[in-house]
């Protein structure tokens, strides 16, 4: 009985302590998930699971190996995007920028921090998904990264040949001026999309072990305080 | 007994050529706008097979294998390594249990009647001849040169229906229509399974740019053009003589989309969202397979059609 008030207080702490959307930005994520949809044509899958609990969106595979792309209905070109993410170990996700409906996009890679690796595919890298983007790596995130908790990302993207700037936990870690617009058909705008990576084909056809292990069974990724400010 | 067999054999021999003479439609036909169709014979297939594989634990004492780059791709990105990202024995066990629970043998689908299916996707020129205009994105300033034999795209499902109706009026027939999803998938498989091997996909699919499993990290120069659609029929046909079933442009079929990974055994007849098959040049080896059951709208500029003509 004595423990109950303490428990309640602890619960209250966890829900009120979480950071809020930065001032001047418009919240993008609501508890009814309005304004977002699953792509029905991306190779990651179309049957992923999205649940909203304790103020955060959690994405997980359904069924095994089938991911998806959870994306905004609205398309953005120049913007500043803010979000916080809680990345479980053993998964591969990303924030897609200017994404097409099928998932051709600039991508900020999201994986649990691999503290011994400055690899291109490490968290915070700018890479291309289905389009030829000039990849860029962030500076060393180890001093500022919170293992096993929420980390904040602020991404600024402007221009036809975009300039992408990334801040992680308030510190600028990447700036990349792309040499050209990499998008197909001359498009310059697209959805903000959250990637739920696939890791199995319908029937056994895994060609690369790294893909087979890229999403642990039952793993999920959290996003909260997703907000945007459109720029001219 | 011997006599009976001989009589039976004789009657079969006598009947077969006669039946062939009466019923055999031509293997291939060409219509008034130059569209070629291939005769697809009846048969059956297993749809909705879902038997994913869990990864295999690495042999004791060895590090997990990193990615093997596709041929011709230099400088693959290194793989981030952290023991906590690797699979534990419990992870492999959890995977095996989930897969055992979620696997499905699918269901049998019979294609009862023969039909003709377009050997290629409908081209921009064929669409213009029937509809009087070309709605495609990939022409003019976006593509150098003649795009008349590129697949028509930037069409919605209702546009595909209007095209079929106009072609029927033009040829005074009712034989043209969109294929059903099952007809399309049966012809795509050409006797194989719904999941093609990655080597087979790369051999026959019309790819574009950095899609189809190539790395986004490859060298980019200002001269590297963004991918576009390409002329139909430049890749080898499938086993039944159909080109570009995989990749190229997504193809509208008749069926409404059911929000599931696969079609239902008895597909619904109406719905707002329609099924797309075959992937497009922006797709990947993961989904440019015959079994993929996608829904519109995709990207517009990667959506076209292939039409069916009913056999007499």
């Amino acid at each position: 009985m004595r423990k109950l008030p303490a428990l309640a207080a602890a619960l209250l702490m966890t829900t009120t302590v979480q950071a809020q959307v930065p001032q001047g930005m418009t919240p993008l994520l609501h508890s009814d998930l309005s304004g977002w949809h699953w792509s029905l044509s991306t190779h990651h899958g179309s049957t992923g699971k999205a649940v909203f609990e304790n103020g955060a969106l959690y994405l997980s595979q359904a069924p095994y190996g089938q991911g998806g792309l959870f994306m905004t209905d609205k398309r953005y070109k120049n913007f500043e995007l803010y979000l916080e993410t809680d990345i479980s170990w053993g998964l591969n996700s990303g924030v897609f920028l200017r994404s097409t409906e099928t998932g051709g996009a600039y991508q900020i890679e999201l994986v649990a921090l691999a503290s011994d690796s400055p690899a291109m595919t490490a968290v915070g890298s700018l890479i291309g998904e289905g389009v030829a983007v000039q990849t860029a790596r962030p500076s060393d995130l180890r001093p500022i990264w919170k293992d096993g908790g929420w980390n904040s990302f602020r991404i600024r993207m402007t221009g036809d040949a975009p300039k992408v700037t990334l801040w992680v936990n308030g510190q600028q870690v990447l700036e990349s001026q792309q040499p050209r617009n990499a998008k197909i058909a001359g498009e310059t705008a697209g959805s903000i999309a959250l990637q739920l990576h696939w890791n199995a084909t319908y029937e056994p056809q895994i060609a690369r072990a790294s893909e087979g292990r890229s999403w642990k069974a039952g793993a999920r990724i959290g996003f909260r305080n997703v907000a945007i400010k459109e720029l001219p | 007994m011997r006599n009976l067999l001989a009589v039976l054999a004789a009657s079969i021999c006598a009947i077969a050529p006669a039946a062939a003479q009466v019923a055999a439609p031509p293997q291939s036909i060409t219509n008034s706008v130059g569209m070629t169709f291939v005769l697809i014979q009846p048969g059956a297939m297993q749809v909705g097979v879902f038997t994913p594989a869990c990864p295999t634990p690495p042999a004791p004492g060895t590090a997990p294998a990193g990615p093997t780059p596709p041929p011709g791709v230099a400088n693959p990105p290194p793989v981030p390594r952290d023991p906590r990202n690797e699979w534990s024995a419990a992870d492999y066990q959890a995977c095996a249990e989930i897969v055992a629970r979620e696997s499905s043998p699918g269901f049998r689908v019979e294609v009862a009647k023969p039909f003709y299916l377009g050997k290629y996707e409908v081209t921009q020129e064929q669409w213009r001849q029937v509809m009087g205009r070309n709605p495609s994105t990939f022409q003019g300033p976006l593509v150098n040169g003649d795009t008349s034999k590129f697949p028509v795209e930037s069409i919605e499902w209702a546009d595909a229906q209007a095209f079929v109706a106009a072609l029927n009026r033009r040829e005074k027939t009712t034989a043209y229509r969109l294929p059903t999803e099952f007809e399309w998938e049966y012809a795509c498989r050409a006797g194989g399974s719904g999941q093609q091997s990655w080597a087979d996909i790369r051999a026959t699919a019309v790819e574009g740019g950095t899609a189809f499993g190539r790395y986004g990290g490859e060298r980019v120069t200002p001269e590297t053009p963004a991918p576009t659609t390409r002329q139909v029929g430049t890749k080898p046909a499938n086993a039944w003589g159909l080109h570009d079933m995989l990749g190229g442009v997504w193809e509208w079929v008749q069926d409404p989309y059911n929000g599931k990974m696969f079609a239902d055994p008895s597909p619904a007849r109406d719905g707002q969202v329609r099924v797309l098959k075959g992937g497009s040049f922006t797709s990947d080896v993961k989904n440019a397979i015959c079994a993929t059951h996608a829904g519109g709208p995709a990207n517009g500029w990667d959506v076209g059609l292939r039409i069916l003509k009913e056999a007499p």
Side-chain angles (χ1 to χ4, degrees), chain B residues 23-216:
Chain B
Q27 288 301 305
S28 167
I29 54 173
T30 301
N31 75 0
S32 65
V33 290
M35 298 169 64
T36 305
F37 293 81
V38 174
L39 182 66
I40 306 296
Q41 297 291 355
M45 62 179 173
Q46 196 74 6
V47 171
V49 176
F50 186 66
T51 53
C54 290
T56 319
T62 61
T68 308
V73 175
N75 191 25
V79 183
R81 288 280 163 71
D82 186 296
R84 291 168 293 185
N85 274 329
E86 306 300 344
W87 285 48
S88 66
D91 291 323
Y92 287 109
Q93 181 63 30
C95 182
E97 286 166 11
I98 291 172
V99 163
R101 192 168 65 238
E102 294 178 339
S103 288
S104 165
F107 52 90
R108 184 178 163 86
V109 169
E110 306 238 359
V111 175
K113 288 167 37 179
F115 59 89
Y116 286 103
L117 191 63
K119 188 178 176 70
Y120 309 102
E121 291 159 341
V122 173
T123 65
Q124 294 184 14
E125 175 58 20
Q126 289 160 353
W127 184 281
R128 195 196 55 74
Q129 281 187 63
V130 174
M131 304 299 280
R133 55 182 287 273
N134 176 11
S136 304
T137 298
F138 292 112
Q139 58 171 328
L142 280 177
V143 183
N144 281 329
D146 178 17
T147 59
S148 59
K149 291 189 169 60
F150 281 38
V152 70
E153 25 80 11
S154 301
I155 55 158
E156 297 184 4
W157 186 84
D159 300 324
Q161 296 296 333
F163 176 83
V164 165
L167 185 59
N168 277 325
R169 280 196 302 275
R170 181 189 177 102
E171 296 195 3
K172 298 184 172 51
T173 178
T174 56
Y176 292 110
R177 59 176 172 82
L178 286 185
T180 65
E181 178 172 13
F182 291 153
E183 287 165 338
W184 190 99
E185 184 167 333
Y186 174 71
C188 178
R189 294 176 176 207
S193 75
Q195 170 82 61
Q196 285 63 54
S197 77
W198 289 7
D200 285 352
I201 295 166
R202 292 200 168 103
T204 64
V206 180
E207 313 172 36
T210 56
F212 283 86
R214 293 187 207 169
Y215 290 103

Side-chain angles (χ1 to χ4, degrees), chain A residues 43-44 65-66 197-214, chain B residues 52-53 66-71 193-207 211-215 235 246-247 283-292:
Chain A
H43 66 282
H44 291 294
Q66 302 301 308
H197 208 291
W198 71 275
N199 71 317
T201 45
Y202 295 159
E203 296 176 58
Q205 199 52 247
I206 292 295
R208 296 201 289 267
S210 61
E211 265 146 4
R213 295 194 189 88
S214 68
Chain B
T68 308
S193 75
Q195 170 82 61
Q196 285 63 54
S197 77
W198 289 7
D200 285 352
I201 295 166
R202 292 200 168 103
T204 64
V206 180
E207 313 172 36
F212 283 86
R214 293 187 207 169
Y215 290 103
K235 300 281 287 232
L246 306 179
S283 295
D284 186 271
V285 285
K286 166 66 168 49
N287 68 334
I289 61 173
C290 299
T292 293

